[in-house]
Amino acid sequence: MMKILFATANKGKLTEAAEVLGPDYDVVSPADLGITEDIPETGATLQENSLQKAQYLHEKTGLPCFADDTGLEVDALGGAPGIYSARYAGPGHDSQANMIKLLKELEQFNDRRARFHTVVTLILADGQVHFFEGVCEGSIAHEKHGTGGFGYDPIFLADAYPGRSLAEVSKEEKNAVSHRGKAIRAMAAWLKSQ
Ligand code: ITT
């Protein structure tokens, strides 16, 4: 079993990653190691932010480490909120406020096409860095549906599940088609090939 640190403070992400990686991996969080400070996230791209989070914790712990940065890219809004998805409605991580703002901004548009985009950075114990990417295509609903998942899931209709939001599908169904599921499976396949 490989012990690997997931550089995230988001419990939803942690649960998903542990499920996707399965029993060969012991996925630990910064909180499990008593690290509770805010990890800096000041990059201009998903890749930079993801690298920054992984590097910060790799330097601090020496453990093999991965981080995920995810953005929701809405076509009618020119790709916004993108890297600003977590703080779209202002500082903090208020998903309800973020969804309300996004629904309001989209009222004037017919085009509701959007995608979740994830970049995962893996840093091995020896410092080697590798990137993995995953995209989930879909559209933004007109209102919230369901209570599963986290973040923007109640207003995201993945193309793979017509008529249901990502908060209305099972965890297994979400992981099978999600941005993060794809990126983390690519990472697991690469690790296995080594
Ligand atoms: P860490 O940086 O600690 O990993 P975070 O929640 O700040 O956690 P991001 O910077 O990647 O993560 O923020 C992405 C935003 O998009 C944030 O508001 C999340 O709630 C949301 N998000 C990320 N993955 C999502 C998913 O699978 N479904 C719905 N919303 C998601």
Side-chain angles (χ1 to χ4, degrees), residues 6-13 16 38-39 41 46 49 53 67-72 81-88 92-95 98 116-118 149-154 156 166 174 178-180:
F6 185 6
T8 184
N10 181 320
K11 289 203 176 71
K13 287 185 181 181
E16 287 181 8
D38 258 352
I39 306 170
E41 222 177 298
L46 294 175
N49 281 337
K53 289 187 263 189
D68 142 315
D69 203 47
T70 295
L72 177 58
I83 60 164
Y84 302 108
S85 295
R87 42 200 148 122
Y88 190 44
H93 289 71
D94 186 340
S95 292
N98 288 339
F116 279 115
H117 191 166
T118 291
F150 67 94
Y152 293 91
D153 283 342
F156 190 81
L166 277 187
K174 180 180 173 187
S178 80
H179 40 298
R180 187 170 306 98

Side-chain angles (χ1 to χ4, degrees), residues 29-98:
S29 70
D32 293 333
L33 304 178
I35 302 170
T36 53
E37 70 244 36
D38 258 352
I39 306 170
E41 222 177 298
T42 56
T45 61
L46 294 175
Q47 181 165 344
E48 280 172 25
N49 281 337
S50 161
L51 175 63
Q52 196 176 24
K53 289 187 263 189
Q55 240 161 9
Y56 183 90
L57 281 167
H58 177 70
E59 278 165 21
K60 202 160 170 124
T61 65
L63 288 171
C65 189
F66 69 98
D68 142 315
D69 203 47
T70 295
L72 177 58
E73 300 167 351
V74 180
D75 286 353
L77 305 178
I83 60 164
Y84 302 108
S85 295
R87 42 200 148 122
Y88 190 44
H93 289 71
D94 186 340
S95 292
Q96 296 306 321
N98 288 339

Side-chain angles (χ1 to χ4, degrees), residues 133-173:
E133 202 167 5
V135 171
C136 181
E137 290 287 342
S139 61
I140 304 300
H142 287 272
E143 51 197 47
K144 293 187 274 173
H145 300 279
T147 55
F150 67 94
Y152 293 91
D153 283 342
I155 60 167
F156 190 81
L157 308 169
D159 289 346
Y161 303 116
R164 282 188 293 165
S165 80
L166 277 187
E168 294 178 303
V169 304
S170 71
K171 291 181 196 173
E172 291 76 17
E173 285 173 315

